[in-house]
Amino acid sequence: MLSIIEQRQSVRKYDPTASISKEQLIKLLQLAGKAPSAWNLQHWHFVVIYGKEAQQKLLPIAYNQQQIVDASAVVAVLGDLEANKKTDAVYDPLVAAGKMTKEVKETLAKQIEQAYTNRQYARDAAFTNASLAAMQFMLAAKAEGFDTCAIGGFDTQAFMEAFHIPHRYIPVMLITIGKASAPAHPSSRLSIDEITTWVNG
């Protein structure tokens, strides 16, 4: 796993003749969906832009970045602003299997509903938790021999309109996936001292 983290880089130049199967994408999305999330509400939704016609539709929305059409597919990661509506779907099977009491489920449900009265919390949770799934998708992709790039530069409103995204969801990022045709741009990292504060005691 550590070698996968070291090897993963943001690839922006893809082999346009390389393909990825629907089955391979489903496997990667299933692995992404194993990411942790607050209350296990799984605050993500994936829109898979699969096929050159769909990718061409996305191209101007992503400011004509060539990687959009050269990649084998593009996955849009959305955050769920109404993840609280998943409470029953997440917890009822646990109650039915005897792994959680009905009382515990009801307590959690009340906590969730209280949290979701705060719209800022709902937005923050959508971004935070969907980003965990996005990172897991990129690591899984690298483990399976694919390259990826996370893209924040796109017109989110135009994306929602063009792909008929319900307002329940908020676009978090696009992820291109495919086979690199050129090495990733070299990048450096800040020293651990610059990004770390230790609190001892």
Side-chain angles (χ1 to χ4, degrees):
M1 183 60 187
L2 294 180
S3 64
I4 297 300
I5 294 172
E6 292 283 358
Q7 293 166 21
R8 189 216 60 80
Q9 292 181 295
S10 296
V11 166
R12 294 173 176 83
K13 293 186 178 180
Y14 293 93
D15 177 357
T17 66
S19 62
I20 183 170
S21 70
K22 185 176 180 181
E23 290 72 25
Q24 287 171 312
L25 281 167
I26 289 171
K27 178 181 179 180
L28 296 176
L29 293 169
Q30 288 173 330
L31 291 169
K34 293 182 180 294
S37 59
W39 285 298
N40 193 31
L41 292 178
Q42 302 158 58
H43 313 56
W44 44 74
H45 188 82
F46 305 112
V47 176
V48 184
I49 294 89
Y50 187 60
K52 296 306 179 184
E53 184 176 340
Q55 288 167 248
Q56 283 288 347
K57 181 179 178 180
L58 179 61
L59 183 62
I61 295 170
Y63 307 128
N64 296 305
Q65 296 179 66
Q66 187 63 32
Q67 62 174 305
I68 294 294
V69 289
D70 286 347
S72 302
V74 183
V75 175
V77 180
L78 312 181
D80 189 354
L81 296 169
E82 301 175 9
N84 55 309
K85 292 182 177 179
K86 297 177 180 176
T87 300
D88 289 343
V90 169
Y91 292 123
D92 283 351
L94 296 176
V95 174
K99 296 180 179 180
M100 176 183 288
T101 66
K102 187 176 180 181
E103 291 73 24
V104 169
K105 185 244 178 172
E106 289 174 353
T107 297
L108 292 172
K110 288 177 182 177
Q111 292 174 356
I112 292 166
E113 287 309 310
Q114 178 61 35
Y116 273 81
T117 62
N118 184 330
R119 294 180 66 183
Q120 185 61 50
Y121 171 81
R123 179 182 170 88
D124 291 347
F127 271 89
T128 301
N129 293 285
S131 294
L132 291 172
M135 189 71 249
Q136 191 136 310
F137 176 83
M138 290 186 282
L139 291 174
K142 189 62 183 175
E144 291 291 303
F146 294 98
D147 297 295
T148 57
C149 182
I151 301 173
F154 64 105
D155 186 330
T156 57
Q157 189 58 43
F159 174 83
M160 292 187 71
E161 292 171 1
F163 292 93
H164 310 291
I165 306 300
H167 289 288
R168 171 175 176 165
Y169 301 106
I170 185 166
V172 174
M173 70 183 77
L174 304 175
I175 301 175
T176 48
I177 180 169
K179 299 285 189 177
S181 64
H185 296 307
S187 63
S188 61
R189 291 293 184 268
L190 298 171
S191 74
I192 195 67
D193 290 337
E194 292 180 272
I195 62 170
T196 306
T197 299
W198 291 78
V199 181
N200 299 312

